[in-house]
Amino acid sequence: MPKKIEEKQAEIEETEKSLEEAKQKEEEQYQSMKVRIKYMYEHGDENYVEILLAAEDMGDMVNRAEYISKITKYDNKMFDEFVATREEIQREELVLKTQKEELERAKMESQEQQEAMAEKVSKVKASISEYESQISEAEKRAMEFEEQLRQQEESLESLERKKKQEEENARRAAENNITSNTSGIPLG
């Protein structure tokens, strides 16, 4: 997701740059038109008539009319370019708005995914902790059983030694008994 966010931010930066260039172009066109409109307001259409009337002959008048036509076409062209630039700015602003909304959605999705991942990690950690606790408890019980087993084995060994000792004592007593009986009895 971060790559998608980076790509969207790059698109936004590019659109902002394009928008800034269009606004700068619009300002330049506006300033030029302002100067031209001021000139036309101050001199009006009378200036065109004066230019035509100042012609020395018909050829000169045609040339002057063509010049006036070119100026008018230039003025119209400049106005059309200004309008086109304004429309371009509006389009760029709309694109920029859409890109920013997409970026916000991408950031929200990324945040939601991170939160979901954090929740999963938390659950896994809790499970690991629980398993570790269970393992620790099982190891503790195993050690207790081993200790009990060791103690029982020691008791058993002690009992076996006692039994052997008692058997040995009984055998000796029996031997002593037999030898004491045989020593006091005359043979034959």
Side-chain angles (χ1 to χ4, degrees):
M1 188 60 72
K3 185 176 181 181
K4 183 178 179 183
I5 290 172
E6 289 174 11
E7 289 173 355
K8 196 50 67 180
Q9 286 174 328
E11 286 178 18
I12 287 172
E13 288 172 10
E14 187 64 33
T15 302
E16 286 174 337
K17 181 181 174 186
S18 177
L19 181 60
E20 188 58 37
E21 289 171 0
K23 284 183 176 183
Q24 186 176 357
K25 181 179 175 183
E26 176 196 33
E27 181 61 25
E28 291 169 4
Q29 289 173 335
Y30 177 74
Q31 293 302 323
S32 293
M33 285 182 55
K34 198 163 82 170
V35 168
R36 180 70 180 127
I37 289 170
K38 180 180 177 188
Y39 176 82
M40 288 171 51
Y41 178 75
E42 289 173 356
H43 297 90
D45 289 337
E46 296 169 8
N47 193 27
Y48 292 141
V49 174
E50 288 175 16
I51 291 173
L52 288 174
L53 292 177
E56 295 176 7
D57 59 31
M58 193 56 144
D60 188 28
M61 184 182 258
V62 169
N63 286 339
R64 289 175 183 244
E66 191 174 312
Y67 172 73
I68 292 170
S69 174
K70 284 181 181 179
I71 290 174
T72 304
K73 284 180 184 177
Y74 175 79
D75 288 343
N76 288 335
K77 177 183 169 197
M78 294 306 293
F79 181 75
D80 290 344
E81 286 178 7
F82 178 76
V83 169
T85 301
R86 279 297 314 141
E87 290 172 353
E88 178 184 352
I89 289 172
Q90 289 173 348
R91 281 191 305 275
E92 291 291 334
E93 287 174 339
L94 183 61
V95 167
L96 183 60
K97 179 183 174 191
T98 302
Q99 288 173 335
K100 285 183 177 181
E101 288 170 354
E102 290 172 357
L103 176 62
E104 277 308 306
R105 275 195 301 276
K107 284 181 178 179
M108 286 177 58
E109 288 173 8
S110 177
Q111 180 67 28
E112 288 170 0
Q113 287 178 350
Q114 286 176 350
E115 288 171 2
M117 186 60 69
E119 186 177 328
K120 287 178 184 178
V121 167
S122 177
K123 286 180 181 178
V124 167
K125 283 182 179 180
S127 294
I128 289 172
S129 178
E130 184 179 328
Y131 292 142
E132 286 175 344
S133 176
Q134 290 173 357
I135 290 170
S136 177
E137 185 63 32
E139 287 174 344
K140 181 180 170 188
R141 283 194 311 249
M143 289 174 63
E144 290 172 357
F145 288 140
E146 286 177 8
E147 180 61 24
Q148 288 176 356
L149 183 59
R150 187 189 61 75
Q151 289 174 359
Q152 288 175 356
E153 286 175 349
E154 285 178 4
S155 288
L156 186 57
E157 287 174 7
S158 176
L159 288 173
E160 285 177 356
R161 280 193 305 272
K162 244 185 196 179
K163 182 181 173 190
K164 284 183 183 179
Q165 187 65 41
E166 286 174 3
E167 287 174 353
E168 183 64 27
N169 289 342
R171 185 186 59 77
R172 281 188 192 157
E175 277 179 14
N176 283 341
N177 221 2
I178 292 178
T179 50
S180 63
N181 279 342
T182 51
S183 52
I185 302 178
L187 288 174

